[in-house]
Each structure stands twice: as C-alpha cells, then as structure tokens.
Amino acid sequence: MKYVDEFRDPQLIRNVAGEIARSVDPNHEYRIMEVCGGHTHAIYRHGLQDVLPENLRLVHGPGCPVCVLPTGRVDDGLSIAEHPGVILTAFGDMMRVPGTRGTPLELKARGADIRMVYSPLDALRLAQNEPTKHVCFFAIGFETTAPSTALTLLRAKALGVRNFSIFCNHVTIVPAIRAILESPDMRLDGFIGPGHVSTVSGCRPYEFIARDYGKPVVVAGFEPLDLLEAILMVVRQLNAKEAKVENQYRRIVPWEGNMPALRAMSDVFELRPYFEWRGLGFISQSALKLLPAYAAWDAEVQFEIPGVRVTDPRAAQCGEVLKGVLRPPQCKLFGKECNPEHPVGALMVSSEGACAAYYRYVRYEDDAANAQPVTS
Amino acid sequence: MDILERPPGEVRFRDPQIEMAHGAGGKLTRRLIEGLILPLLRNPVLAPLSDSAVFDMNGVRVATTADAYVVKPLRFAGGSIGELAVNGTVNDLAVAGAHPVGLMATFILEAGLRGDDLRLEVEAVASAARRAGVAIFGGDTKVVEHGFADGMYVSTFGIGTVDPRARLDARAVRAGDRILLSGPIGDHGITILLARGELDLEADTLVSDTRSVLPFVDALLDSAAAGLRWMRDPTRGGVATALNELASECALGIAIFEDAIPLRDEVRGACEILGLDPLHIANEGQLLAVVAAEEADVALEAMQAVPGGERAACIGEVRTAPAKTVLAHNGYGGSRAVDMLVGDPLPRIC
C-alpha cells in the first residue's frame, strides 16, 4: 500500500532504531513528548517502545481532542439532545465519552436521537434531509478538524440551512503545549510535533518552543518509520545542543500551513478568552467559538446550555501523566477503577488517550519494576 | 479456572440498560451472557458457552446451535441475510466438528417488506443450504408492524452429528501448538460498513466472505484429526475476540505474527483510514484452528488445497506466557497486546 508499506519496512525500521540506539548517551535519560494522540496510538499500535533504548522515554502529550474535553462540556452537549426534535450528531470516538449521566451511546440507548457522522458535512446533509428536525453537530478537535467545521458553516450559511447548528469545542494545540512548558514539574527534553494539526497550521507556531524554551521540535508523520526518524532528529539536536523546529512530515505538512484552511477558520471562529481542559484546567485563549455573525448556527446561542462544571476526579492523575511526571500505569486508578469500558480520567477516554493506548496494547507487561515515578 | 468450574455469579452484569455494544460480540456481549443469562440458565451443556451445544443422545454425539441474523442492508456485495443465516448456522456446527443434519429457519418480517425481496431471501436460504448439503426442516414466520424491524430478521436452529474423529477442547491446547487461519480477514465487516453508504469510500472488488467452512473442517479432520485441538469461526468481535476467548479458556498465551495474517489491501486501507483494527472486524467465512505443531504443516497444506483456501496461513502459536493474553508481533521486533473488542468498533477522527 503506497505511503504505508514503505514506512513499515522492517529492515529500514531496524536501521533507524539501531541509529537511535547508537546516538543516545547511555548516561542521559531522554524524555520526548509526542504531543498528538494519533502518535501515542501509533507508538503503541506498532510496539515502538520495544525497539527504542531504555533510556529514551516517550511521554504522551495533550493532543487527544476527546480526552481533553471536560465532563461539563460533554454534559452541556448532551443536554442539547434532550430538546424535542433535535438530532445530535458527533464523531465516532465521541460516542463513548462519559458525561455525568452517561455516554452519548447510553443516552441513545435510552431514546435520544444521537447519531454518529464521519464529517460535519454529513451532519449538514442530514439537516437538509430532515427539514422538520434540528440537527446539531457536536464539534471537537484541534486544527485538524476545525477547518471542516468552518467550511460546513460557510456552506450552511450559503445554502441558508437554518435547522443546523454547531456546538463548538474546537481547541488549539499551542496554548496547551505552552501550559505544559510553563508547568514547574516539566521534565521534557524535546517534542514530536503533531502531524495532522500541522497540515493546517504549519510548523511556524512551534518556533517559540525552540526559541523561548530551548527544546527541539520535530513535526512527524504517523507511520513507524516517521516516528523513529523524528525521534532520531530530536536526539541529534539534543546531542548537538541545538533547539530548532524541523519537519519530518514534509510529504504532507507545508511549513507555512494550509492557507485556505486557516482562512476558513478565521472567517468563522474567534478565540475564547479561556477554556477548560480535562486534566489541565483552564487555559487562556486555547479554544475557538463561532463569530457573532454565525450566531444563528451557534448551539450555545440557540439553546439554553446549562454551563455545567464538573471537577476532574481527584484520584485520577491525568495532569501528571500529561506532563510526563507519571507514566500511565503509575496512576492510582489505572486499570482498576479506570479502564476503557469505564474511564474515570481523561486519558482513558479515547483510543488515542495515553492511558487507553497503554491499557490496550502494553498492559501485559509487569510494571512492578517500573512503578517508581520518573526522576529528573 | 474455566467457566464450568467458575462459581455462579462471578461475572456480574450491572449495566443499567442494553446498548448496541452488548450485541457486538466483544467484552460487553461476554458480560451479558456470563453475568446475566448463564447464571439463570446454568447447566453442564450450556456452561462451555461454545457456539454449539454438544451432548450425547443415545450414544450419538450431537451438536445444536441457534442464531439470529439482523443485518442492514439486507443484501450486500457477496451475500445477503438469507445466505448469512444458513452459512453462519452451518459454521457454528462445523467448528464443533459436526456435520449438519438439518436447519430450521424463522422469518420475522416487517409489514411493508416487498414480496420480491422476501422471495430473494428465501431463494438465498435455499441455495446456501444446497451448497452446504443441508436441508431446511421447518421454521416459523411472524410479521411485526412497520417500523419494528429492518425489513426482516432471520432466526435459525441447526442440528448435526459430531464427527467421531473430532476431539475439540480448549483445555487440550498446549504451548507450541500452531494457530491456522483459512484466509483474509475483515472482508465481511468492511463490506457491510461500505454497503451502509455512510462513508465516501469505495472498494469495488471487496465482497463479504460469507461461505460454509465445512470444507476446511473436513480437510483438517482428514489430514490432522489427532492434532486438531480447537476451532472457531471468528465472526462478531473478529479474530481478536476469538483468540482472547481461547487464551482465557486454555490459560496460555497466544502469539500472533502480524505479517503472516492474510489481509486484502481494501480492508487494510479502510481500517487505516477509519482507525479500526482488522483483528476486530467481523468475518463470516473464515476458520481459526489450533493444531499440534507436528501436524501443523500437513493441516495447513490441506486447508490451502480447499478451493478458496489458497491464502490460508499459520498466523501464530501458543506460548506459556504471558498467560491469558494475545500478543501480536510485527516484523521489526515490536509487540502489542490484542484486546477483545470493547463495544462496537468506532472510527477515530484523526
């Protein structure tokens, strides 16, 4: 399969893994954060931790959009489905995210009209096909999915579809990375930049990480060879005591980003002054809302949203895992009260969450030997 | 501890309501059956929770199975609900080592179903039964109000006699045994996903793999009956769920080699795009078998000689550790645990 097989070639993978092993300083522990949930999933899906040296540790970042959505926003979104005549639509991996009164799938089983869609355009099409209903799209995601929401809104406006709205929960990755870098217990050496987000935003937004915090960033793709190559590039920068932004995913990611997508976003969205992230708390200017010109399609204007706030479960140590202070199995709840069927903390929610990926793919390992917190 | 020895009520069903995922064949289905149904109906024949119940009737080992088919759309590339109903029931008997004697088929019809559509499905039932060499002995028809069923449902019952050479028991599985698979996985599940028309994906060449696995079972019994330990048709929940159940029942580890698993490019491509694991996708015409190492080669050759079995492969082996776990190994030294399906397979967004 083109663009897949050549990035899973066993010999090439062994070569790069060998090069990483030769490049790392055995007396130093390398902690590299992969920001994106898709990377976390790919690392575990391909068992990449097995081919990396033991003193190189991958830390899983805040880039799973489902995981970082706070419970209160889930409740708010699900409250829309309780209005008569409303069809609430959402992406597949939203469907198992728990609010305080259950997941979208559970509410659907109790009779709410909640449907899975593959894109916001499908939701708009549903609105056109069901003119007597109101179709609301529960929009989530980083810069990866925000442009498709924006384009859908532009189309809804152009077509004059009025029985359609967006419950906007789009977030932006840079403020989250900044929040992690500002955290007093931050212990990271470098970053693997998010591949999908960067197809839209480009590489420039990460320059502050290298410039202000002295940490290398390498934007990477999602195949095993992409990730290993990116890790090698970070290690080489660290060995050379350099800090710059590099683009490993050049075949997809333009350095300057995708201008039409960015333009569509700026036509439709503005920054919220602050937004709550599950596991990380409130982060200023980290999320998008619809511009007033789109109030007619804004579910937060069209419906009475309760504005629920639900405190993160105290025992779940998502924040520490997100910052790389703890590894998933070191959380007190991991695999016990908190598991993919009954997620308590954010990172167990979606298959891209660090804890869910770890639970699914690595849990067979005896972690007793590693059950000590990471020390710097 | 296997299910027979497990004290009643060890697995508890506390879910407040039934959801679609309880029917997806993964963990939730298992919890529903073991936690709610089994404790109330417990008896020694039911307890192994196999797809077929095997018992002795006047000196003859008999296998029976019942199944219900609800699929949307009724017809899809490579098959239809009527064909599935026969093949699925035949396969549940076949993996118990039984040859079907007869089937019963009950049709639950939704008012408004077109007569021509019903005729097509009864014809599909008849021709699938002919191909499998089994007769339809009886059944029932019921009609429900419009809006209460997706066109039609088919419920089946099958009875067969167990081949005396078949000695199948997960507890007989030993470390070193080989895992054989009859052909490419995921064709049925991805075909259905595409047939629902919700995705702007096309795979013109992809068709459901619905078929009878009896020829494979016969080939295994003829070539390697003494070494044949266990068989399963990996339907809902896919190969991952079937192998996890095996790992749990035999209390050993299952190692599978990802590069050896036959998979069509169309299925692989759709799974890559949607973030699904082909090991979790449903099959309707594949056979998984555990065969003793010394007989694995001859058994595999016999499977490959069956028409449609050309891509049969040895995909893994049984190991002592880690117990009750399925581990997938790739070609460059990485490994991952393969879990049972949790809920329905849901596509990721990015």
Side-chain angles (χ1 to χ4, degrees):
Chain A
M1 202 181 303
K2 197 157 168 52
Y3 300 120
V4 174
D5 290 335
E6 56 267 55
F7 294 93
R8 294 185 186 177
D9 182 284
Q11 193 52 52
L12 288 175
I13 288 172
R14 281 197 208 97
N15 291 349
V16 181
E19 187 61 33
I20 293 171
R22 283 188 294 277
S23 301
V24 295
D25 172 359
N27 301 314
H28 178 73
E29 187 172 64
Y30 295 78
R31 284 176 300 259
I32 301 172
M33 171 175 277
E34 84 278 3
V35 173
C36 173
H39 283 153
T40 306
H41 187 85
I43 286 162
Y44 287 134
R45 166 75 178 75
H46 298 291
L48 293 186
Q49 72 282 358
D50 294 349
V51 302
L52 290 171
E54 281 190 6
N55 59 328
L56 194 151
R57 184 159 286 176
L58 292 172
V59 177
H60 319 301
C64 166
V66 172
C67 297
V68 295
L69 188 69
T71 312
R73 289 295 286 188
V74 180
D75 284 348
D76 283 347
L78 292 178
S79 76
I80 297 170
E82 289 169 348
H83 287 80
V86 167
I87 303 172
L88 184 69
T89 55
F91 289 133
D93 48 4
M94 248 326 281
M95 299 299 277
R96 271 199 287 267
V97 180
T100 50
R101 288 182 297 132
T103 67
L105 277 178
E106 286 165 349
L107 250 71
K108 182 180 169 69
R110 292 202 287 267
D113 197 347
I114 299 176
R115 303 188 198 180
M116 185 179 77
V117 290
Y118 295 90
S119 90
L121 280 171
D122 291 344
L124 179 61
R125 215 169 293 136
L126 182 63
Q128 290 172 289
N129 294 338
E130 300 261 8
T132 60
K133 304 264 187 176
H134 181 95
V135 176
C136 176
F137 177 65
F138 196 136
I140 62 161
F142 290 93
E143 287 87 339
T144 320
T145 52
S148 64
T149 302
L151 289 169
T152 303
L153 265 175
L154 292 169
R155 183 175 293 187
K157 191 174 186 185
L159 295 171
V161 181
R162 302 307 293 260
N163 62 327
F164 177 71
S165 64
I166 299 279
F167 180 52
C168 184
N169 295 280
H170 286 297
V171 283
T172 65
I173 194 73
V174 165
I177 298 176
R178 193 184 290 276
I180 286 170
L181 284 164
E182 294 287 339
S183 166
D185 46 6
M186 202 284 296
R187 294 162 187 169
L188 299 169
D189 297 304
F191 289 86
I192 297 173
H196 291 139
V197 163
S198 307
T199 58
V200 174
S201 61
C203 298
R204 285 204 185 283
Y206 314 120
E207 284 174 346
F208 79 97
I209 302 173
R211 187 186 58 238
D212 302 343
Y213 297 89
K215 310 284 180 195
V217 181
V218 178
V219 173
F222 294 83
E223 293 301 327
L225 207 50
D226 287 321
L227 281 157
L228 291 179
E229 200 176 25
I231 289 165
L232 182 59
M233 289 162 80
V234 171
V235 169
R236 282 182 174 154
Q237 283 197 48
L238 289 171
N239 287 349
K241 301 204 180 324
E242 284 181 341
K244 56 187 178 189
V245 181
E246 291 184 284
N247 185 7
Q248 182 278 336
Y249 205 23
R250 284 182 303 276
R251 68 183 186 277
I252 305 280
V253 172
W255 186 267
E256 300 291 343
N258 179 333
M259 286 306 158
L262 290 169
R263 209 170 300 124
M265 284 170 65
S266 64
D267 284 348
V268 163
F269 298 123
E270 62 181 340
L271 279 171
R272 292 176 193 266
Y274 56 87
F275 193 74
E276 187 186 3
W277 292 55
R278 211 196 276 223
L280 290 176
F282 285 93
I283 303 177
S284 66
Q285 305 209 312
S286 65
L288 305 174
K289 66 192 286 265
L290 301 193
L291 284 164
Y294 291 88
W297 291 273
D298 188 344
E300 289 176 78
V301 176
Q302 298 302 318
F303 294 95
E304 258 185 43
I305 306 284
V308 180
R309 279 223 53 218
V310 180
T311 321
D312 283 339
R314 197 171 291 175
Q317 296 168 288
C318 305
E320 282 83 352
V321 175
L322 280 175
K323 286 180 282 192
V325 180
L326 291 180
R327 294 170 58 232
Q330 293 169 331
C331 170
K332 291 191 281 281
L333 302 186
F334 179 84
K336 301 179 197 91
E337 292 96 325
C338 188
N339 59 63
E341 277 185 86
H342 297 289
V344 176
L347 306 179
M348 195 61 93
V349 170
S350 144
S351 66
E352 291 184 3
C355 294
Y358 195 99
Y359 182 94
R360 179 170 299 174
Y361 295 131
V362 204
R363 139 181 81 107
Y364 62 91
E365 282 182 350
D366 180 10
D367 278 293
N370 301 319
Q372 300 300 316
V374 179
T375 50
S376 55
Chain B
M1 188 192 305
D2 76 13
I3 292 161
L4 265 176
E5 295 158 355
R6 212 177 265 169
E10 184 183 300
V11 176
R12 296 210 178 131
F13 182 82
R14 293 184 173 129
D15 303 5
Q17 65 196 3
I18 300 301
E19 291 163 34
M20 295 304 289
H22 287 110
K27 273 188 182 175
L28 270 67
T29 305
R30 202 76 187 165
R31 188 161 69 225
L32 169 69
I33 293 170
E34 288 183 34
L36 190 149
I37 296 174
L38 184 65
L40 296 172
L41 303 179
R42 180 175 290 272
N43 67 64
V45 176
L46 174 64
L49 290 180
S50 302
D51 287 340
S52 282
V54 177
F55 52 94
D56 188 275
M57 199 160 72
N58 299 327
V60 178
R61 282 174 78 213
V62 170
T64 60
T65 188
D67 218 330
Y69 295 83
V70 293
V71 60
K72 195 161 80 176
L74 296 178
R75 281 188 290 283
F76 41 83
S80 70
I81 189 169
E83 203 174 341
L84 272 188
V86 172
N87 291 340
T89 310
V90 165
N91 291 347
D92 284 346
L93 293 172
V95 294
H99 280 94
V101 175
L103 306 186
M104 314 278 266
T106 293
F107 297 95
I108 296 169
L109 311 173
E110 183 186 19
L113 175 72
R114 285 161 40 88
D116 286 349
D117 288 335
L118 177 58
R119 181 183 302 279
L120 277 176
E121 291 319 308
V122 179
E123 282 171 359
V125 165
S127 69
R130 253 194 321 275
R131 280 199 300 278
V134 61
I136 307 295
F137 282 172
D140 191 15
T141 55
K142 290 280 189 295
V143 179
V144 296
E145 280 183 52
H146 186 78
F148 282 71
D150 290 321
M152 65 183 290
Y153 301 142
V154 184
S155 169
T156 53
F157 168 81
I159 186 162
T161 52
V162 178
D163 190 307
R165 295 170 296 175
R167 288 280 174 268
L168 304 168
D169 189 343
R171 288 170 297 189
V173 169
R174 297 284 173 267
D177 289 352
R178 302 287 193 264
I179 319 277
L180 306 184
L181 173 64
S182 60
I185 59 169
D187 290 4
H188 177 75
I190 296 297
T191 300
I192 294 292
L193 203 61
L194 298 181
R196 287 187 185 145
E198 295 163 0
L199 293 167
D200 287 334
L201 293 177
E202 283 180 24
D204 293 344
T205 52
L206 194 61
V207 298
S208 166
D209 61 0
T210 180
R211 61 177 170 178
S212 155
V213 300
L214 269 174
F216 292 109
V217 172
D218 288 340
L220 287 171
L221 287 170
D222 291 344
S223 64
L228 182 60
R229 319 268 206 221
W230 175 93
M231 290 189 288
R232 185 66 60 86
D233 58 331
T235 52
R236 292 170 311 160
V239 168
T241 300
L243 290 181
N244 268 283
E245 286 175 359
L246 170 65
S248 158
E249 285 164 30
C250 71
L252 292 166
I254 307 289
I256 54 175
F257 311 118
E258 292 207 84
D259 295 350
I261 297 169
L263 191 62
R264 289 182 213 285
D265 270 355
E266 298 94 317
V267 172
R268 198 167 147 223
C271 286
E272 289 289 336
I273 289 168
L274 297 170
L276 303 175
D277 188 341
L279 292 168
H280 283 148
I281 306 294
N283 311 280
E284 286 294 343
Q286 301 302 345
L287 177 75
L288 269 175
V290 175
V291 179
E294 55 274 22
E295 299 190 66
D297 288 345
V298 65
L300 180 58
E301 277 176 32
M303 286 175 88
Q304 287 169 337
V306 172
E310 296 79 10
R311 292 186 69 184
C314 173
I315 62 161
E317 63 188 28
V318 180
R319 293 182 178 170
T320 49
K324 299 188 179 184
T325 301
V326 181
L327 277 192
H329 300 268
N330 58 33
Y332 40 88
S335 64
R336 63 172 173 124
V338 177
D339 206 359
M340 283 176 90
L341 177 65
V342 178
D344 274 316
L346 296 174
R348 295 206 317 265
I349 61 170
C350 71

